[in-house]
């Protein structure tokens, strides 16, 4: 079973400095630093969420139209 070492830091600079120290004992590919937003931050906007638009949804509507059209053509062909 893998072991997990976790820590909570006030800044990314502090987390990075600890990662450098840990790198003396642990392979760099096994060190992960991530940010967990404070409770309630996900509901910043009146309708929910913390961003006006999902950064990965730029072409979602085009994909949906193309998928629907393909399904319609396939159903019509059958």
């Amino acid at each position: 079973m893998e072991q997990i070492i976790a820590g909570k830091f006030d800044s990314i600079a502090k987390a990075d400095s600890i990662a450098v120290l840990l790198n003396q004992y642990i392979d760099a590919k096994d060190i992960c630093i991530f940010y967990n937003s404070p409770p309630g931050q996900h509901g910043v906007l009146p309708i929910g969420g913390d961003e006006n638009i999902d950064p990965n949804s730029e072409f979602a509507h085009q994909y949906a139209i193309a998928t629907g059209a393909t399904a319609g053509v396939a159903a019509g062909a059958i």
Side-chain angles (χ1 to χ4, degrees):
M1 180 175 200
E2 299 290 328
Q3 292 185 2
I4 297 174
I5 301 170
K8 183 176 178 181
F9 303 95
D10 295 329
S11 69
I12 190 67
K14 289 180 183 179
D16 286 339
S17 65
I18 295 299
V20 170
L21 291 174
L22 285 174
N23 197 23
Q24 297 174 13
Y25 308 99
I26 302 171
D27 193 347
K29 68 177 180 60
D30 293 328
I31 298 174
C32 299
I33 297 175
F34 62 92
Y35 174 76
N36 191 11
S37 60
Q41 188 171 352
H42 65 279
V44 173
L45 299 175
I47 61 170
D50 59 353
E51 296 177 305
N52 287 325
I53 187 169
D54 184 349
N56 296 321
S57 67
E58 183 177 352
F59 300 105
H61 67 286
Q62 294 171 351
Y63 176 76
I65 291 170
T67 302
T70 302
V73 169
I78 293 174

